[in-house]
Amino acid sequence: TFQKAGKFTTVKLGLHTGLRMFQDSLVTGLVTTNLQRKGLVKEAVPYTVQAVTALELAVVDETLQRPLRIRAGFARFCIGARLRHGDGTRIAIEPAVLPHSAYVAEKGHAFIETTATVVKTSQTRKRMKRPIPIAAHAWGLAAEGWAARWLKLREQAGLNAQADGTLQPACGAD
């Protein structure tokens, strides 16, 4: 609890603060109220190796429809780059597989890279939008060239993050 952490820190750092402040009814009341207000944090269940493998295999499976393969690639990119879905959709710069030879051959150790713009409202207007580099492994657990194949599928479908203003358009009937 906060009180135990406060006591430990005070003693460990040798602060000359009376420990009585942690026995104060106001502090105890505030801590109790905040703990009751705060619900348990539910973390998302992490993807299994099988789930990530299934996404990679979907990208390279030519029997599946192209829109499904593109969505699987986007999901795999978000997992590899540790992006939330919403942050991934707001990327407006088309990713690239580097080195380019890995893109052409669809194999080899490479990275898929792009830049995202993060908006921080707590900054001055000049620093509100900042470019953040985004990268993920372009080779996978089951399909070595999943990233290159995904980018080629995007190109075949006429998708381009710069032109569309988004890396992944909303899914629709088409």
Side-chain angles (χ1 to χ4, degrees), residues 67-131:
L68 177 63
R69 295 170 68 193
I70 292 171
R71 287 193 298 271
F74 175 73
R76 176 60 179 89
F77 174 66
C78 287
I79 291 168
R82 300 183 54 138
L83 290 171
R84 295 177 296 184
H85 178 268
D87 294 335
T89 59
R90 284 190 286 276
I91 292 173
I93 297 174
E94 190 68 17
V97 172
L98 300 172
H100 188 69
S101 59
Y103 172 78
V104 173
E106 293 184 7
K107 65 180 180 178
H109 294 285
F111 291 92
I112 179 167
E113 301 178 3
T114 187
T115 302
T117 302
V118 176
V119 177
K120 297 287 186 185
T121 56
S122 63
Q123 302 292 323
T124 62
R125 185 169 293 280
K126 211 177 204 183
R127 293 179 55 204
M128 282 177 74
K129 284 191 170 186
R130 288 188 271 169

CSV table of all heavy atoms in Angstrom, one decimal, residues 67-131:
chain,number,residue,atom,x,y,z
A,67,PRO,N,-8.1,-8.7,-49.0
A,67,PRO,CA,-8.4,-7.8,-47.9
A,67,PRO,C,-8.1,-8.5,-46.5
A,67,PRO,O,-7.6,-7.9,-45.6
A,67,PRO,CB,-9.9,-7.5,-48.0
A,67,PRO,CG,-10.1,-7.7,-49.5
A,67,PRO,CD,-9.2,-8.8,-50.0
A,68,LEU,N,-8.4,-9.8,-46.4
A,68,LEU,CA,-8.1,-10.5,-45.2
A,68,LEU,C,-6.6,-10.6,-45.0
A,68,LEU,O,-6.1,-10.4,-43.8
A,68,LEU,CB,-8.7,-11.9,-45.3
A,68,LEU,CG,-8.5,-12.8,-44.0
A,68,LEU,CD1,-9.1,-12.2,-42.8
A,68,LEU,CD2,-9.0,-14.2,-44.3
A,69,ARG,N,-5.8,-10.9,-46.0
A,69,ARG,CA,-4.4,-10.9,-45.9
A,69,ARG,C,-3.8,-9.6,-45.4
A,69,ARG,O,-2.8,-9.5,-44.7
A,69,ARG,CB,-3.8,-11.4,-47.2
A,69,ARG,CG,-4.2,-12.8,-47.6
A,69,ARG,CD,-3.8,-13.2,-49.0
A,69,ARG,NE,-2.4,-13.3,-49.1
A,69,ARG,CZ,-1.8,-13.3,-50.3
A,69,ARG,NH1,-2.5,-13.3,-51.4
A,69,ARG,NH2,-0.5,-13.4,-50.3
A,70,ILE,N,-4.3,-8.5,-46.0
A,70,ILE,CA,-3.9,-7.2,-45.6
A,70,ILE,C,-4.2,-6.9,-44.2
A,70,ILE,O,-3.3,-6.4,-43.4
A,70,ILE,CB,-4.4,-6.1,-46.6
A,70,ILE,CG1,-3.9,-6.3,-48.0
A,70,ILE,CG2,-4.2,-4.7,-46.0
A,70,ILE,CD1,-4.5,-5.4,-49.0
A,71,ARG,N,-5.4,-7.2,-43.7
A,71,ARG,CA,-5.7,-7.0,-42.3
A,71,ARG,C,-4.8,-7.8,-41.4
A,71,ARG,O,-4.4,-7.4,-40.3
A,71,ARG,CB,-7.2,-7.3,-42.0
A,71,ARG,CG,-8.1,-6.2,-42.6
A,71,ARG,CD,-9.5,-6.3,-42.2
A,71,ARG,NE,-10.2,-7.5,-42.5
A,71,ARG,CZ,-10.9,-7.7,-43.7
A,71,ARG,NH1,-11.0,-6.7,-44.5
A,71,ARG,NH2,-11.5,-8.8,-43.9
A,72,ALA,N,-4.5,-9.1,-41.8
A,72,ALA,CA,-3.7,-9.9,-41.0
A,72,ALA,C,-2.3,-9.3,-40.9
A,72,ALA,O,-1.6,-9.3,-39.8
A,72,ALA,CB,-3.6,-11.3,-41.6
A,73,GLY,N,-1.8,-8.8,-42.0
A,73,GLY,CA,-0.5,-8.1,-42.0
A,73,GLY,C,-0.4,-6.9,-41.1
A,73,GLY,O,0.5,-6.7,-40.4
A,74,PHE,N,-1.5,-6.1,-41.1
A,74,PHE,CA,-1.6,-4.9,-40.3
A,74,PHE,C,-1.6,-5.4,-38.8
A,74,PHE,O,-0.8,-4.8,-38.0
A,74,PHE,CB,-2.8,-4.1,-40.6
A,74,PHE,CG,-3.0,-3.0,-39.6
A,74,PHE,CD1,-2.2,-1.8,-39.7
A,74,PHE,CD2,-4.0,-3.0,-38.6
A,74,PHE,CE1,-2.4,-0.8,-38.8
A,74,PHE,CE2,-4.2,-2.0,-37.8
A,74,PHE,CZ,-3.4,-0.8,-37.9
A,75,ALA,N,-2.3,-6.4,-38.4
A,75,ALA,CA,-2.4,-6.9,-37.1
A,75,ALA,C,-1.0,-7.4,-36.6
A,75,ALA,O,-0.5,-7.1,-35.5
A,75,ALA,CB,-3.4,-8.0,-36.9
A,76,ARG,N,-0.3,-8.1,-37.5
A,76,ARG,CA,1.0,-8.6,-37.2
A,76,ARG,C,2.0,-7.5,-37.1
A,76,ARG,O,2.9,-7.5,-36.2
A,76,ARG,CB,1.5,-9.6,-38.3
A,76,ARG,CG,2.9,-10.1,-38.2
A,76,ARG,CD,3.1,-10.9,-36.9
A,76,ARG,NE,4.4,-11.4,-36.8
A,76,ARG,CZ,5.5,-10.7,-36.2
A,76,ARG,NH1,5.3,-9.5,-35.8
A,76,ARG,NH2,6.6,-11.3,-36.1
A,77,PHE,N,1.9,-6.4,-37.9
A,77,PHE,CA,2.8,-5.3,-37.8
A,77,PHE,C,2.6,-4.6,-36.4
A,77,PHE,O,3.5,-4.2,-35.7
A,77,PHE,CB,2.5,-4.3,-38.9
A,77,PHE,CG,3.3,-3.0,-38.8
A,77,PHE,CD1,4.7,-3.0,-38.9
A,77,PHE,CD2,2.6,-1.8,-38.6
A,77,PHE,CE1,5.4,-1.8,-38.7
A,77,PHE,CE2,3.3,-0.6,-38.4
A,77,PHE,CZ,4.7,-0.6,-38.5
A,78,CYS,N,1.3,-4.4,-36.0
A,78,CYS,CA,1.0,-3.8,-34.7
A,78,CYS,C,1.6,-4.6,-33.6
A,78,CYS,O,2.1,-4.1,-32.6
A,78,CYS,CB,-0.5,-3.6,-34.5
A,78,CYS,SG,-1.2,-2.3,-35.6
A,79,ILE,N,1.5,-5.9,-33.7
A,79,ILE,CA,2.1,-6.8,-32.6
A,79,ILE,C,3.6,-6.6,-32.6
A,79,ILE,O,4.2,-6.4,-31.5
A,79,ILE,CB,1.7,-8.3,-32.8
A,79,ILE,CG1,0.2,-8.5,-32.6
A,79,ILE,CG2,2.5,-9.2,-31.9
A,79,ILE,CD1,-0.3,-9.8,-33.1
A,80,GLY,N,4.2,-6.7,-33.7
A,80,GLY,CA,5.7,-6.6,-33.7
A,80,GLY,C,6.2,-5.2,-33.3
A,80,GLY,O,7.3,-5.1,-32.7
A,81,ALA,N,5.5,-4.2,-33.6
A,81,ALA,CA,5.9,-2.8,-33.3
A,81,ALA,C,5.4,-2.4,-31.9
A,81,ALA,O,5.6,-1.2,-31.5
A,81,ALA,CB,5.5,-1.9,-34.4
A,82,ARG,N,4.6,-3.2,-31.3
A,82,ARG,CA,4.0,-2.9,-30.0
A,82,ARG,C,3.1,-1.7,-30.1
A,82,ARG,O,3.1,-0.8,-29.2
A,82,ARG,CB,5.0,-2.8,-28.9
A,82,ARG,CG,5.9,-4.0,-28.8
A,82,ARG,CD,6.9,-3.9,-27.7
A,82,ARG,NE,6.1,-3.5,-26.5
A,82,ARG,CZ,6.4,-3.9,-25.3
A,82,ARG,NH1,7.3,-4.8,-25.1
A,82,ARG,NH2,5.7,-3.5,-24.2
A,83,LEU,N,2.3,-1.7,-31.1
A,83,LEU,CA,1.3,-0.6,-31.3
A,83,LEU,C,-0.1,-0.9,-30.9
A,83,LEU,O,-0.5,-2.1,-31.1
A,83,LEU,CB,1.3,-0.2,-32.8
A,83,LEU,CG,2.5,0.5,-33.4
A,83,LEU,CD1,2.4,0.5,-35.0
A,83,LEU,CD2,2.7,1.9,-32.9
A,84,ARG,N,-0.8,0.0,-30.4
A,84,ARG,CA,-2.2,-0.2,-30.3
A,84,ARG,C,-2.9,0.0,-31.6
A,84,ARG,O,-2.3,0.7,-32.5
A,84,ARG,CB,-2.8,0.8,-29.3
A,84,ARG,CG,-2.2,0.6,-27.9
A,84,ARG,CD,-2.7,1.7,-26.9
A,84,ARG,NE,-2.2,3.0,-27.4
A,84,ARG,CZ,-2.4,4.1,-26.7
A,84,ARG,NH1,-3.1,4.1,-25.6
A,84,ARG,NH2,-2.0,5.2,-27.2
A,85,HIS,N,-4.0,-0.6,-31.8
A,85,HIS,CA,-4.7,-0.5,-33.1
A,85,HIS,C,-4.9,0.9,-33.6
A,85,HIS,O,-4.5,1.3,-34.7
A,85,HIS,CB,-6.0,-1.3,-33.1
A,85,HIS,CG,-6.8,-1.2,-34.4
A,85,HIS,ND1,-7.7,-0.2,-34.6
A,85,HIS,CD2,-6.7,-2.0,-35.5
A,85,HIS,CE1,-8.2,-0.4,-35.8
A,85,HIS,NE2,-7.6,-1.5,-36.4
A,86,GLY,N,-5.4,1.8,-32.7
A,86,GLY,CA,-5.7,3.1,-33.1
A,86,GLY,C,-4.4,3.9,-33.5
A,86,GLY,O,-4.4,4.7,-34.4
A,87,ASP,N,-3.3,3.7,-32.8
A,87,ASP,CA,-2.1,4.3,-33.1
A,87,ASP,C,-1.6,3.8,-34.5
A,87,ASP,O,-1.0,4.6,-35.2
A,87,ASP,CB,-1.0,4.1,-32.0
A,87,ASP,CG,-1.4,4.7,-30.7
A,87,ASP,OD1,-2.1,5.7,-30.7
A,87,ASP,OD2,-0.9,4.2,-29.7
A,88,GLY,N,-1.7,2.5,-34.7
A,88,GLY,CA,-1.3,2.0,-36.0
A,88,GLY,C,-2.1,2.6,-37.2
A,88,GLY,O,-1.5,2.9,-38.2
A,89,THR,N,-3.4,2.8,-37.0
A,89,THR,CA,-4.2,3.3,-38.1
A,89,THR,C,-3.8,4.8,-38.4
A,89,THR,O,-4.0,5.2,-39.5
A,89,THR,CB,-5.7,3.2,-37.8
A,89,THR,OG1,-6.0,4.0,-36.6
A,89,THR,CG2,-6.2,1.8,-37.6
A,90,ARG,N,-3.4,5.5,-37.4
A,90,ARG,CA,-3.0,6.9,-37.6
A,90,ARG,C,-1.7,7.1,-38.3
A,90,ARG,O,-1.3,8.3,-38.6
A,90,ARG,CB,-3.1,7.7,-36.3
A,90,ARG,CG,-4.5,7.9,-35.9
A,90,ARG,CD,-4.5,8.9,-34.7
A,90,ARG,NE,-4.1,8.3,-33.5
A,90,ARG,CZ,-4.9,7.5,-32.7
A,90,ARG,NH1,-6.2,7.4,-33.0
A,90,ARG,NH2,-4.5,7.0,-31.6
A,91,ILE,N,-0.9,6.1,-38.6
A,91,ILE,CA,0.3,6.2,-39.3
A,91,ILE,C,0.1,6.7,-40.7
A,91,ILE,O,-0.7,6.1,-41.4
A,91,ILE,CB,1.1,4.9,-39.2
A,91,ILE,CG1,1.6,4.6,-37.8
A,91,ILE,CG2,2.3,5.0,-40.2
A,91,ILE,CD1,2.2,3.3,-37.6
A,92,ALA,N,0.7,7.8,-41.1
A,92,ALA,CA,0.4,8.3,-42.4
A,92,ALA,C,1.7,8.3,-43.3
A,92,ALA,O,1.8,9.0,-44.3
A,92,ALA,CB,-0.1,9.7,-42.3
A,93,ILE,N,2.6,7.4,-43.0
A,93,ILE,CA,3.8,7.2,-43.8
A,93,ILE,C,4.0,5.7,-44.1
A,93,ILE,O,4.0,4.9,-43.2
A,93,ILE,CB,5.1,7.8,-43.1
A,93,ILE,CG1,5.0,9.3,-42.9
A,93,ILE,CG2,6.4,7.4,-43.9
A,93,ILE,CD1,6.1,9.9,-42.0
A,94,GLU,N,4.0,5.4,-45.4
A,94,GLU,CA,4.0,4.0,-45.8
A,94,GLU,C,5.3,3.3,-45.2
A,94,GLU,O,6.4,3.9,-45.4
A,94,GLU,CB,4.0,3.9,-47.3
A,94,GLU,CG,3.8,2.5,-47.8
A,94,GLU,CD,2.4,1.9,-47.6
A,94,GLU,OE1,1.5,2.7,-47.2
A,94,GLU,OE2,2.3,0.7,-47.7
A,95,PRO,N,5.1,2.2,-44.6
A,95,PRO,CA,6.3,1.5,-44.1
A,95,PRO,C,7.2,1.0,-45.2
A,95,PRO,O,6.8,0.8,-46.4
A,95,PRO,CB,5.7,0.3,-43.3
A,95,PRO,CG,4.3,0.6,-43.1
A,95,PRO,CD,3.9,1.5,-44.2
A,96,ALA,N,8.4,0.6,-44.9
A,96,ALA,CA,9.4,0.1,-45.8
A,96,ALA,C,10.1,-1.1,-45.1
A,96,ALA,O,10.4,-1.0,-43.9
A,96,ALA,CB,10.3,1.1,-46.3
A,97,VAL,N,10.4,-2.1,-45.9
A,97,VAL,CA,11.3,-3.2,-45.4
A,97,VAL,C,12.7,-2.8,-45.8
A,97,VAL,O,13.1,-2.5,-46.9
A,97,VAL,CB,10.9,-4.5,-46.0
A,97,VAL,CG1,11.9,-5.6,-45.6
A,97,VAL,CG2,9.5,-5.0,-45.5
A,98,LEU,N,13.6,-2.8,-44.7
A,98,LEU,CA,15.0,-2.4,-44.9
A,98,LEU,C,15.9,-3.5,-44.4
A,98,LEU,O,15.6,-4.0,-43.3
A,98,LEU,CB,15.3,-1.1,-44.2
A,98,LEU,CG,14.5,0.1,-44.7
A,98,LEU,CD1,14.7,1.3,-43.8
A,98,LEU,CD2,14.8,0.4,-46.2
A,99,PRO,N,16.9,-4.0,-45.1
A,99,PRO,CA,17.3,-3.5,-46.4
A,99,PRO,C,16.4,-3.9,-47.5
A,99,PRO,O,15.7,-4.8,-47.4
A,99,PRO,CB,18.7,-4.1,-46.5
A,99,PRO,CG,18.6,-5.4,-45.7
A,99,PRO,CD,17.7,-5.1,-44.6
A,100,HIS,N,16.5,-3.1,-48.6
A,100,HIS,CA,15.6,-3.3,-49.7
A,100,HIS,C,15.7,-4.7,-50.3
A,100,HIS,O,14.7,-5.3,-50.8
A,100,HIS,CB,15.8,-2.2,-50.8
A,100,HIS,CG,14.8,-2.3,-51.9
A,100,HIS,ND1,13.5,-1.9,-51.6
A,100,HIS,CD2,14.9,-2.6,-53.2
A,100,HIS,CE1,12.8,-2.1,-52.8
A,100,HIS,NE2,13.6,-2.5,-53.7
A,101,SER,N,16.9,-5.3,-50.3
A,101,SER,CA,17.1,-6.6,-50.8
A,101,SER,C,16.2,-7.7,-50.1
A,101,SER,O,15.7,-8.6,-50.8
A,101,SER,CB,18.6,-7.0,-50.7
A,101,SER,OG,19.0,-7.1,-49.3
A,102,ALA,N,15.9,-7.5,-48.9
A,102,ALA,CA,15.0,-8.4,-48.1
A,102,ALA,C,13.6,-8.2,-48.6
A,102,ALA,O,12.8,-9.1,-48.6
A,102,ALA,CB,15.1,-8.2,-46.7
A,103,TYR,N,13.2,-7.0,-49.0
A,103,TYR,CA,11.9,-6.7,-49.6
A,103,TYR,C,11.7,-7.4,-50.9
A,103,TYR,O,10.7,-8.1,-51.2
A,103,TYR,CB,11.7,-5.2,-49.8
A,103,TYR,CG,10.4,-4.8,-50.5
A,103,TYR,CD1,9.2,-4.8,-49.8
A,103,TYR,CD2,10.5,-4.4,-51.8
A,103,TYR,CE1,8.1,-4.5,-50.5
A,103,TYR,CE2,9.3,-4.1,-52.5
A,103,TYR,CZ,8.1,-4.1,-51.8
A,103,TYR,OH,6.9,-3.8,-52.5
A,104,VAL,N,12.7,-7.3,-51.8
A,104,VAL,CA,12.7,-7.9,-53.1
A,104,VAL,C,12.6,-9.5,-53.0
A,104,VAL,O,11.8,-10.1,-53.6
A,104,VAL,CB,13.9,-7.5,-54.0
A,104,VAL,CG1,13.9,-8.2,-55.3
A,104,VAL,CG2,13.8,-6.0,-54.2
A,105,ALA,N,13.5,-10.0,-52.2
A,105,ALA,CA,13.6,-11.5,-52.0
A,105,ALA,C,12.6,-12.1,-51.1
A,105,ALA,O,12.3,-13.3,-51.1
A,105,ALA,CB,15.0,-11.9,-51.5
A,106,GLU,N,11.9,-11.3,-50.3
A,106,GLU,CA,10.9,-11.7,-49.3
A,106,GLU,C,11.5,-12.7,-48.4
A,106,GLU,O,10.8,-13.6,-47.9
A,106,GLU,CB,9.7,-12.3,-50.0
A,106,GLU,CG,8.9,-11.3,-50.8
A,106,GLU,CD,7.6,-11.8,-51.4
A,106,GLU,OE1,7.2,-13.0,-51.1
A,106,GLU,OE2,6.9,-11.1,-52.1
A,107,LYS,N,12.8,-12.5,-48.0
A,107,LYS,CA,13.4,-13.3,-47.0
A,107,LYS,C,14.7,-12.6,-46.5
A,107,LYS,O,15.1,-11.7,-47.1
A,107,LYS,CB,13.7,-14.7,-47.5
A,107,LYS,CG,14.8,-14.8,-48.6
A,107,LYS,CD,15.0,-16.2,-49.1
A,107,LYS,CE,16.0,-16.2,-50.2
A,107,LYS,NZ,16.3,-17.6,-50.6
A,108,GLY,N,15.2,-13.1,-45.4
A,108,GLY,CA,16.4,-12.5,-44.8
A,108,GLY,C,16.0,-11.7,-43.6
A,108,GLY,O,14.9,-11.3,-43.4
A,109,HIS,N,17.0,-11.4,-42.8
A,109,HIS,CA,16.8,-10.6,-41.6
A,109,HIS,C,16.7,-9.1,-42.0
A,109,HIS,O,17.6,-8.5,-42.7
A,109,HIS,CB,18.0,-10.7,-40.7
A,109,HIS,CG,18.1,-12.1,-40.1
A,109,HIS,ND1,17.2,-12.6,-39.2
A,109,HIS,CD2,18.9,-13.2,-40.4
A,109,HIS,CE1,17.5,-13.8,-38.9
A,109,HIS,NE2,18.5,-14.2,-39.6
A,110,ALA,N,15.6,-8.5,-41.7
A,110,ALA,CA,15.3,-7.1,-42.0
A,110,ALA,C,14.3,-6.6,-41.0
A,110,ALA,O,13.8,-7.3,-40.1
A,110,ALA,CB,14.7,-7.1,-43.4
A,111,PHE,N,14.0,-5.3,-41.1
A,111,PHE,CA,13.1,-4.6,-40.3
A,111,PHE,C,12.0,-3.9,-41.2
A,111,PHE,O,12.4,-3.5,-42.3
A,111,PHE,CB,13.7,-3.6,-39.4
A,111,PHE,CG,14.6,-4.2,-38.4
A,111,PHE,CD1,15.9,-4.4,-38.6
A,111,PHE,CD2,14.1,-4.6,-37.1
A,111,PHE,CE1,16.7,-5.0,-37.6
A,111,PHE,CE2,14.8,-5.2,-36.2
A,111,PHE,CZ,16.2,-5.4,-36.4
A,112,ILE,N,10.8,-3.8,-40.7
A,112,ILE,CA,9.8,-3.0,-41.4
A,112,ILE,C,9.7,-1.7,-40.5
A,112,ILE,O,9.5,-1.8,-39.3
A,112,ILE,CB,8.5,-3.7,-41.5
A,112,ILE,CG1,7.4,-2.8,-42.2
A,112,ILE,CG2,8.0,-4.3,-40.2
A,112,ILE,CD1,6.2,-3.6,-42.6
A,113,GLU,N,9.9,-0.6,-41.2
A,113,GLU,CA,10.0,0.7,-40.5
A,113,GLU,C,9.1,1.7,-41.1
A,113,GLU,O,8.8,1.7,-42.3
A,113,GLU,CB,11.5,1.2,-40.5
A,113,GLU,CG,12.5,0.2,-39.9
A,113,GLU,CD,13.9,0.7,-40.0
A,113,GLU,OE1,14.1,1.8,-40.5
A,113,GLU,OE2,14.8,0.0,-39.6
A,114,THR,N,8.7,2.6,-40.2
A,114,THR,CA,7.9,3.8,-40.6
A,114,THR,C,8.1,4.8,-39.5
A,114,THR,O,8.8,4.7,-38.6
A,114,THR,CB,6.4,3.4,-40.9
A,114,THR,OG1,5.8,4.6,-41.4
A,114,THR,CG2,5.7,3.0,-39.6
A,115,THR,N,7.4,5.9,-39.7
A,115,THR,CA,7.3,7.0,-38.7
A,115,THR,C,5.9,7.3,-38.4
A,115,THR,O,5.1,7.5,-39.3
A,115,THR,CB,8.1,8.2,-39.2
A,115,THR,OG1,9.4,7.8,-39.5
A,115,THR,CG2,8.1,9.3,-38.2
A,116,ALA,N,5.6,7.5,-37.1
A,116,ALA,CA,4.3,7.9,-36.7
A,116,ALA,C,4.4,9.3,-36.1
A,116,ALA,O,5.5,9.7,-35.6
A,116,ALA,CB,3.7,6.9,-35.6
A,117,THR,N,3.3,10.0,-36.1
A,117,THR,CA,3.3,11.3,-35.4
A,117,THR,C,2.4,11.1,-34.2
A,117,THR,O,1.3,10.8,-34.2
A,117,THR,CB,2.6,12.3,-36.3
A,117,THR,OG1,3.4,12.4,-37.5
A,117,THR,CG2,2.6,13.7,-35.7
A,118,VAL,N,3.0,11.4,-33.0
A,118,VAL,CA,2.4,11.3,-31.8
A,118,VAL,C,2.0,12.7,-31.3
A,118,VAL,O,2.8,13.6,-31.4
A,118,VAL,CB,3.3,10.7,-30.7
A,118,VAL,CG1,2.6,10.6,-29.4
A,118,VAL,CG2,3.6,9.3,-31.2
A,119,VAL,N,0.8,12.9,-30.9
A,119,VAL,CA,0.3,14.2,-30.4
A,119,VAL,C,0.3,14.2,-28.9
A,119,VAL,O,-0.3,13.3,-28.3
A,119,VAL,CB,-1.1,14.5,-30.9
A,119,VAL,CG1,-1.6,15.8,-30.4
A,119,VAL,CG2,-1.1,14.5,-32.4
A,120,LYS,N,1.0,15.1,-28.3
A,120,LYS,CA,1.1,15.3,-26.9
A,120,LYS,C,0.5,16.6,-26.5
A,120,LYS,O,1.1,17.7,-26.8
A,120,LYS,CB,2.5,15.2,-26.3
A,120,LYS,CG,3.2,13.9,-26.6
A,120,LYS,CD,2.7,12.8,-25.7
A,120,LYS,CE,3.4,11.5,-25.8
A,120,LYS,NZ,2.9,10.5,-25.0
A,121,THR,N,-0.7,16.6,-25.9
A,121,THR,CA,-1.3,17.9,-25.6
A,121,THR,C,-0.7,18.7,-24.5
A,121,THR,O,-1.0,19.8,-24.3
A,121,THR,CB,-2.8,17.6,-25.3
A,121,THR,OG1,-2.9,16.7,-24.2
A,121,THR,CG2,-3.6,17.1,-26.5
A,122,SER,N,0.2,18.0,-23.7
A,122,SER,CA,0.8,18.7,-22.6
A,122,SER,C,2.0,19.5,-23.0
A,122,SER,O,2.6,20.2,-22.2
A,122,SER,CB,1.2,17.7,-21.5
A,122,SER,OG,2.2,16.8,-22.0
A,123,GLN,N,2.4,19.5,-24.3
A,123,GLN,CA,3.5,20.2,-24.8
A,123,GLN,C,3.1,21.5,-25.4
A,123,GLN,O,2.0,21.8,-25.6
A,123,GLN,CB,4.2,19.3,-25.9
A,123,GLN,CG,4.7,18.0,-25.4
A,123,GLN,CD,5.8,18.1,-24.4
A,123,GLN,OE1,6.7,18.9,-24.5
A,123,GLN,NE2,5.7,17.2,-23.4
A,124,THR,N,4.1,22.3,-25.7
A,124,THR,CA,3.9,23.6,-26.3
A,124,THR,C,3.4,23.3,-27.7
A,124,THR,O,3.6,22.2,-28.3
A,124,THR,CB,5.1,24.5,-26.4
A,124,THR,OG1,6.1,23.8,-27.2
A,124,THR,CG2,5.7,24.8,-25.0
A,125,ARG,N,2.7,24.2,-28.4
A,125,ARG,CA,2.1,24.0,-29.7
A,125,ARG,C,3.2,23.5,-30.7
A,125,ARG,O,2.9,22.7,-31.5
A,125,ARG,CB,1.4,25.3,-30.2
A,125,ARG,CG,0.7,25.1,-31.5
A,125,ARG,CD,-0.2,26.2,-31.9
A,125,ARG,NE,-1.3,26.4,-31.0
A,125,ARG,CZ,-2.4,25.7,-31.1
A,125,ARG,NH1,-2.6,24.7,-31.9
A,125,ARG,NH2,-3.4,25.9,-30.3
A,126,LYS,N,4.4,24.1,-30.6
A,126,LYS,CA,5.4,23.7,-31.5
A,126,LYS,C,5.9,22.3,-31.4
A,126,LYS,O,6.2,21.6,-32.3
A,126,LYS,CB,6.6,24.6,-31.2
A,126,LYS,CG,7.5,24.9,-32.4
A,126,LYS,CD,8.6,25.9,-32.0
A,126,LYS,CE,9.1,26.7,-33.2
A,126,LYS,NZ,10.2,27.6,-32.8
A,127,ARG,N,5.8,21.7,-30.1
A,127,ARG,CA,6.3,20.4,-29.9
A,127,ARG,C,5.1,19.4,-29.7
A,127,ARG,O,5.4,18.2,-29.4
A,127,ARG,CB,7.1,20.4,-28.6
A,127,ARG,CG,8.4,21.1,-28.8
A,127,ARG,CD,9.2,21.2,-27.5
A,127,ARG,NE,9.4,19.8,-27.0
A,127,ARG,CZ,9.7,19.5,-25.7
A,127,ARG,NH1,9.7,20.5,-24.8
A,127,ARG,NH2,9.9,18.3,-25.4
A,128,MET,N,3.9,19.8,-30.0
A,128,MET,CA,2.7,18.9,-29.8
A,128,MET,C,2.8,17.7,-30.7
A,128,MET,O,2.5,16.6,-30.3
A,128,MET,CB,1.4,19.6,-30.1
A,128,MET,CG,1.0,20.5,-28.9
A,128,MET,SD,-0.5,21.4,-29.2
A,128,MET,CE,-1.7,20.1,-29.1
A,129,LYS,N,3.2,17.8,-32.0
A,129,LYS,CA,3.3,16.7,-32.9
A,129,LYS,C,4.8,16.4,-33.1
A,129,LYS,O,5.6,17.2,-33.5
A,129,LYS,CB,2.7,17.1,-34.3
A,129,LYS,CG,1.2,17.0,-34.3
A,129,LYS,CD,0.7,17.1,-35.7
A,129,LYS,CE,-0.8,16.9,-35.7
A,129,LYS,NZ,-1.3,16.8,-37.1
A,130,ARG,N,5.1,15.1,-32.7
A,130,ARG,CA,6.5,14.7,-32.8
A,130,ARG,C,6.6,13.4,-33.6
A,130,ARG,O,5.8,12.5,-33.4
A,130,ARG,CB,7.1,14.5,-31.4
A,130,ARG,CG,7.3,15.8,-30.6
A,130,ARG,CD,8.0,15.5,-29.4
A,130,ARG,NE,7.0,15.2,-28.4
A,130,ARG,CZ,7.3,14.7,-27.2
A,130,ARG,NH1,8.5,14.5,-26.8
A,130,ARG,NH2,6.3,14.5,-26.3
A,131,PRO,N,7.6,13.3,-34.5
A,131,PRO,CA,7.7,12.1,-35.2
A,131,PRO,C,8.4,11.0,-34.3
A,131,PRO,O,9.3,11.3,-33.6
A,131,PRO,CB,8.7,12.5,-36.4
A,131,PRO,CG,9.4,13.7,-35.9
A,131,PRO,CD,8.5,14.4,-34.9
